[in-house]
Amino acid sequence: MSLRGTWEISFLVDKDGRILEGRGACAEHLGLSLQSVIGRSFFSFVAAGERSHLRRFIGQLNRPRAKRAALVSLQTPASLRSYAMEAQAGRTANDNWLMFSRDTSGADGLDDLDLPVVMADEGQFLRLVELAASQAQASLDLTTIEVGGLADTKRLSGLGDEEIAAFERSVGETLSDNAHDGILSNPSPGFYNLLHDPSRSGNAIAQGLTAVAAQHGISAQQAGIAHATMSVAPNTALSSIREALGIMQKRMPTQQSWEAPAKPKISEGQIAAALGIGAFLLGVAAIAVWLML
């Protein structure tokens, strides 16, 4: 399917989904002027149930065999309306044009496409959470989840590499489906951070992952699901978001910090050596005092 030459509105968006530029009758379709939408997240105009799929759609556009067309539901002044969307190359490797037409014949919905799970890197994840918080009307939840079986695959004894990979994919898909606008990161094996609506609690998401593990023949003990959740108020500063992530990461069973490695532990031999040196110095000081008398 190609919409070239038939689009009615289009937006240049970066890899975070932020609108950089727009063309067409934006006021007619979205009820807002082009000038007013610049700098906003495009996801705020997409049906809530399709946002995580759109995040995955945008995230795979730099792949050689990327999907470039789909149906998407946009919020118009009157109601949700389906549009055929086509992605075209932008001005740099980090942005793309999303073109929209009301002619929806021959297009598949976003949830019908086999799209890879998209994981943001540390910097992008923080930017996405900050952007979402700046546009949110109410608090959102930020959750760190550890899947012990993926952090240490020795716990999944009896499973082959393909089976472990299938479990990991299921974990990613489950978290992506629960994430607000698909905002999800995987800073290290077995560790995930996601922004989500409070109506779907961190505890419920963790329980869902335990159920996913069971579907793969993995016990709750083998899966080792742990989580920590904190609230993110509207307009929360980036520094506060980073601090919250650091605190939650340290609450995980392995006590790994995303921001700094743990300080090395002092061995028993080092402690004994330090005590010996201290005793020697005290002895020298005592002799010196005795000679002065």
Side-chain angles (χ1 to χ4, degrees), residues 113-145:
L113 301 179
D114 183 18
L115 299 169
V117 176
V118 174
M119 301 289 182
D121 59 31
E122 176 183 352
Q124 184 186 19
F125 181 77
L126 291 169
R127 292 195 306 272
L128 291 172
V129 174
E130 182 187 34
L131 180 60
S134 70
Q135 297 182 178
Q137 301 299 315
S139 294
L140 296 166
D141 278 354
L142 186 62
T143 292
T144 289
I145 288 181

Side-chain angles (χ1 to χ4, degrees), residues 138-162:
S139 294
L140 296 166
D141 278 354
L142 186 62
T143 292
T144 289
I145 288 181
E146 176 185 336
V147 182
L150 294 176
D152 179 10
T153 55
K154 293 179 181 178
R155 299 176 62 160
L156 303 180
S157 58
L159 270 67
D161 291 343
E162 291 186 4

Side-chain angles (χ1 to χ4, degrees), residues 5-16:
T6 66
W7 59 268
E8 294 164 274
I9 52 172
S10 64
F11 299 99
L12 181 67
V13 301
D14 64 16
K15 62 181 181 179
D16 297 339

Side-chain angles (χ1 to χ4, degrees), residues 21-286:
E21 188 179 329
R23 296 174 183 170
C26 186
E28 175 187 343
H29 294 276
L30 301 183
L32 296 168
S33 67
L34 282 173
Q35 176 113 21
S36 66
V37 302
I38 302 302
R40 293 184 58 175
S41 170
F42 179 71
F43 293 90
S44 61
F45 301 107
V46 178
E50 297 180 10
R51 291 174 184 173
S52 62
H53 297 289
L54 182 61
R55 176 79 60 194
R56 294 164 69 172
F57 179 88
I58 292 175
Q60 54 91 51
L61 287 175
N62 62 344
R63 301 189 176 203
R65 298 183 180 179
K67 305 287 195 307
R68 294 199 164 270
L71 279 175
V72 62
S73 301
L74 300 183
Q75 183 64 58
T76 69
S79 61
L80 284 171
R81 177 187 292 171
S82 292
Y83 288 80
M85 174 184 67
E86 183 179 283
Q88 297 182 11
R91 295 176 176 170
T92 72
N94 293 318
D95 52 52
N96 289 274
W97 281 101
L98 300 182
M99 327 287 286
F100 297 89
S101 170
R102 282 182 287 192
D103 180 6
T104 60
S105 57
D108 293 321
L110 283 166
D111 56 352
D112 294 322
L113 301 179
D114 183 18
L115 299 169
V117 176
V118 174
M119 301 289 182
D121 59 31
E122 176 183 352
Q124 184 186 19
F125 181 77
L126 291 169
R127 292 195 306 272
L128 291 172
V129 174
E130 182 187 34
L131 180 60
S134 70
Q135 297 182 178
Q137 301 299 315
S139 294
L140 296 166
D141 278 354
L142 186 62
T143 292
T144 289
I145 288 181
E146 176 185 336
V147 182
L150 294 176
D152 179 10
T153 55
K154 293 179 181 178
R155 299 176 62 160
L156 303 180
S157 58
L159 270 67
D161 291 343
E162 291 186 4
E163 293 171 304
I164 293 174
F167 173 49
E168 187 172 19
R169 179 178 174 83
S170 294
V171 168
E173 290 175 343
T174 300
L175 293 176
S176 179
D177 290 341
N178 281 280
H180 177 81
D181 293 0
I183 299 175
L184 173 69
S185 75
N186 180 203
S188 61
F191 288 86
Y192 301 86
N193 300 306
L194 71 155
L195 188 70
H196 58 97
D197 296 325
S199 58
R200 182 67 171 168
S201 69
N203 188 54
I205 294 172
Q207 290 177 354
L209 290 180
T210 300
V212 167
Q215 293 170 6
H216 287 265
I218 299 170
S219 68
Q221 184 176 4
Q222 286 178 302
I225 309 296
H227 78 283
T229 300
M230 298 183 74
S231 179
V232 178
N235 297 309
T236 297
L238 186 66
S239 58
S240 298
I241 297 168
R242 184 186 296 275
E243 182 180 2
L245 278 174
I247 292 172
M248 291 191 298
Q249 197 81 8
K250 292 173 183 176
R251 291 180 181 175
M252 295 297 98
T254 55
Q255 296 184 348
Q256 292 184 5
S257 172
W258 193 14
E259 295 189 359
K263 294 181 179 179
K265 295 181 180 180
I266 299 175
S267 67
E268 292 183 2
Q270 289 173 315
I271 293 174
L275 291 175
I277 292 172
F280 171 76
L281 292 175
L282 285 174
V284 170

